Amino acid sequence: MPKVSRDTTTQGGDYGAVVDRSEAFGDYTVDFLTFREDVDHRPLLKGLPDDRCQCPHWGYVFRGELTFHFADHDEVYHEGDAFYAPAGHVPVHTEPGSEYLQISPSDELRRTSEVIMKNLGALGETG
């Protein structure tokens, strides 16, 4: 059975405000994310349907706090929380120093990541 740790991932990168260490397992991708800064993803998701992330994520917060905005409410995830964020969310706050694990369908994640990287480039924030 395949396995991965933050130290054994082979994909991802250091994007300044965010360090993403990832690995693909078939149809799913595992990301270990560390946020150095508070990141509001609203400008990064522009161009996706409704300017919202269209990829569902399952995750676990090791440290810190995350806030995801949905059309009708906000969800705040704290250290020790496992979470599910369905498509249609926007991460609007990530406490600096936050670390979490995220598992996502690879195809949806790739499409979302392409838009994020394009928008990062347009903002002049690639790392």
Side-chain angles (χ1 to χ4, degrees):
M1 175 180 283
K3 67 177 183 173
V4 71
S5 72
R6 186 182 338 233
D7 296 328
T8 62
T9 59
T10 62
Q11 301 167 9
D14 187 334
Y15 303 102
V18 181
V19 177
D20 177 9
R21 302 289 181 231
S22 63
E23 193 71 38
F25 290 119
D27 294 338
Y28 290 88
T29 296
V30 174
D31 292 280
F32 294 91
L33 296 152
T34 302
F35 281 74
R36 294 181 176 126
E37 301 172 20
D38 186 7
V39 177
D40 179 347
H41 283 71
R42 284 178 281 212
L44 303 176
L45 297 173
K46 293 227 181 274
L48 289 168
D50 297 324
D51 295 332
R52 296 176 178 276
C53 181
Q54 300 300 305
C55 181
H57 310 288
W58 293 261
Y60 181 82
V61 182
F62 297 112
R63 183 184 330 177
E65 177 183 285
L66 326 169
T67 303
F68 286 12
H69 177 73
F70 295 86
D72 60 349
H73 72 286
D74 287 348
E75 289 284 341
V76 180
Y77 310 115
H78 298 95
E79 183 173 323
D81 287 345
F83 66 88
Y84 170 65
H89 63 276
V90 179
V92 294
H93 166 71
T94 309
E95 181 178 63
S98 292
E99 296 181 2
Y100 65 99
L101 169 76
Q102 174 178 282
I103 301 169
S104 315
S106 296
D107 287 343
E108 289 94 330
L109 182 62
R110 179 188 46 75
R111 287 191 294 271
T112 298
S113 295
E114 287 171 355
V115 170
I116 289 172
M117 295 310 289
K118 178 183 170 190
N119 288 332
L120 270 174
L123 294 170
E125 297 181 11
T126 55

